[in-house]
Amino acid sequence: MKAFHFTALGADGRRHRGVSYAAEAAALRDRLIDARLHPVTIRPALLQHQGPLRLTEAEAARLGRDLAQLMTSGMALAQALSLLETRETPRVSAIAREVRQRLISGEPLSKALEVASGTPARFLQALARGGEASGRQSEVLAAGARSLAAADQLKKRLITLCIYPVFVILVAFGSIAIYAYAVLPSLEPAFEGMGSDIPPQTQAVLTFGAIVRLLMPIAAAGTAALAILLAVSARARRTGGDLVARLLMRGKRSPMRDFVFANFASRLAVMLQAGVPLAPAWRLAREPVTIASLSRALAVQDERLMEGVRLSEVLRAIPNTPPDLIHYVLMGEQSGQVAKALNDGSAVLAGRAQEAIERVLSVITPLVIIVVGGMVGLITMMVFQGLLAVGDAVAM
């Protein structure tokens, strides 16, 4: 679907402007006419591409929550989607409209939700399949919406924590670039002709500046090429994302590992609480996992669960599973409350991931400031030593 900017006249003569999604401009024109609006202009938004609409975690959580509330009040699913079309953002409204049309044509909700793409959308599809299997659609959607909202809040919190260190690091690179491109080249003529009389440390600084000026354009070109490749190639994004995730998931206290398994445990708990049997719940919970290596490891365990192997034994067979999660599941199996144990384990892992990242960033940020300040001070001192040497040579 594509995004279009439109201007239309209402029956009262007022102008209505906005953004809406449709397969073609003609479809949007017909929709505006059906809404008793006279289209004046319809133009595509910039940087368009044809394809499914992506849902963010916040949008998926709100969509699932609103659907659950309306269905609980006794409203039919198609009616609920029709109501949401007028109350949601343009992108979510377009998804609700397409889902409603598919429902009218006879598709189940889980199939109709395939009009949206992205991990949160896949989780909504899994929730819908779980609700269809258990007959408790509204309860499953409500529980899944809470899980999505919690994951969204945690992700936003982690991103917020990373903003300041990233800013400091960019300033550090900017400071080095300014010295290499602006300060040192303007001082180099003062040292010409001195030969071996230049202090070694000053010569080292000048050489460092020359190396930076040589390598920085190459690094910038490489970064730009990589960014373009990731922007145009979905396969490159998947491969790169999987490689980075595998590297970050190593270690006994990996925040990335805790974050991924916390989300997985939360999804599995939602399915079990909705009454979905363990084996189907496992398949539905693992579907949104985007890390290829972990997704394959989870899929291998499907048959074992069908054979009746305990969940704790299955988790032990998966590489990098946090021992704390296995411990919670063991306690849940002994008490007969596996879903609650998964929720508790998910909360512990999510809290630990956030705490670990906060601890690392609290060390990295001042360390970067100290290193950058020390480098700038050292470079300045070495340059002034060279200038003093030039002054002494002139005096002689």
Side-chain angles (χ1 to χ4, degrees):
M1 300 183 73
K2 299 179 181 179
F4 293 91
H5 295 283
F6 70 88
T7 303
L9 291 176
D12 56 358
R14 295 178 58 187
R15 284 182 176 267
H16 298 264
R17 293 183 176 87
V19 178
S20 188
Y21 286 81
E24 298 294 340
L28 176 58
R29 179 199 60 203
D30 294 341
R31 198 161 65 236
L32 291 172
I33 293 174
D34 291 339
R36 298 183 180 180
L37 295 173
H38 177 69
V40 177
T41 60
I42 297 176
R43 55 186 177 82
L46 296 176
L47 303 177
Q48 285 290 338
H49 71 280
Q50 184 81 17
L53 299 177
R54 296 184 66 85
L55 275 175
T56 65
E57 287 181 329
E59 290 171 336
R62 187 172 63 250
L63 179 60
R65 181 199 62 211
D66 292 346
L67 280 176
Q69 289 179 347
L70 294 174
M71 292 171 65
T72 302
S73 68
M75 188 176 292
L77 185 55
Q79 290 178 316
L81 288 166
S82 180
L83 180 61
L84 292 179
E85 288 180 35
T86 62
R87 298 186 176 181
E88 290 288 354
T89 61
R91 182 169 60 237
V92 179
S93 176
I95 291 173
R97 181 166 47 251
E98 291 295 320
V99 171
R100 181 173 61 85
Q101 291 174 356
R102 290 194 175 198
L103 286 174
I104 293 173
S105 66
E107 292 185 0
L109 178 61
S110 57
K111 182 69 174 178
L113 283 169
E114 291 181 0
V115 299
S117 64
T119 301
R122 286 196 294 272
F123 183 34
L124 276 183
Q125 295 160 21
L127 289 172
R129 281 192 288 273
E132 292 161 358
S134 63
R136 302 164 62 183
Q137 190 69 269
S138 60
E139 297 178 28
V140 175
L141 286 174
R146 290 192 294 271
S147 175
L148 281 168
D152 178 62
Q153 290 176 358
L154 177 59
K155 182 180 293 185
K156 288 179 178 176
R157 173 62 178 163
L158 297 180
I159 292 175
T160 301
L161 291 172
C162 294
I163 289 176
Y164 181 63
V166 170
F167 175 76
V168 171
I169 292 172
L170 291 177
V171 170
F173 280 106
S175 301
I176 294 173
I178 290 172
Y179 258 92
Y181 280 93
V183 177
L184 296 182
S186 64
L187 295 176
E188 285 177 355
F191 301 111
E192 291 180 357
M194 290 191 64
S196 60
D197 294 332
I198 301 178
Q201 56 269 32
T202 303
Q203 183 62 54
V205 170
L206 297 176
T207 304
F208 170 75
I211 293 173
V212 169
R213 291 194 296 274
L214 175 66
L215 296 182
M216 191 163 285
I218 299 174
T223 302
L226 179 61
I228 294 172
L229 177 63
L230 294 176
V232 301
S233 173
R235 182 177 180 181
R237 289 195 297 270
R238 288 193 300 269
T239 303
D242 184 58
L243 178 60
V244 172
R246 289 172 65 182
L247 292 174
L248 293 177
M249 287 182 66
R250 293 183 177 180
K252 295 181 179 180
R253 295 291 182 181
S254 165
M256 179 69 177
R257 183 189 66 171
D258 289 344
F259 178 75
V260 170
F261 276 94
N263 287 338
F264 171 73
S266 176
R267 292 193 296 267
L268 183 56
V270 168
M271 300 301 174
L272 294 177
Q273 288 171 339
V276 181
L278 179 57
W282 176 274
R283 289 197 298 271
L284 294 173
R286 70 167 174 78
E287 283 182 4
V289 176
T290 56
I291 303 174
S293 56
L294 179 58
S295 180
R296 289 192 297 267
L298 293 171
V300 168
Q301 304 302 321
D302 289 356
E303 293 185 4
R304 297 186 66 201
L305 286 169
M306 290 290 293
E307 295 169 357
V309 178
R310 296 171 62 183
L311 179 58
S312 57
E313 296 299 323
V314 168
L315 289 173
R316 279 199 182 97
I318 298 172
N320 297 320
T321 302
D324 288 347
L325 180 58
I326 298 174
H327 171 76
Y328 274 96
V329 171
L330 277 171
M331 296 299 102
E333 289 171 344
Q334 293 177 3
S335 63
Q337 297 181 334
V338 177
K340 183 179 183 303
L342 285 168
N343 271 328
D344 293 341
S346 174
V348 168
L349 293 178
R352 192 169 69 190
Q354 180 175 335
E355 181 183 355
I357 291 177
E358 288 178 348
R359 188 182 302 115
V360 170
L361 294 180
S362 66
V363 174
I364 289 179
T365 303
L367 184 62
V368 170
I369 294 174
I370 293 172
V371 170
V372 173
M375 287 182 61
V376 171
L378 186 62
I379 291 173
T380 303
M381 183 184 68
M382 291 179 178
V383 169
F384 271 101
Q385 285 183 345
L387 291 175
L388 290 174
V390 172
D392 291 341
V394 171
M396 294 175 61

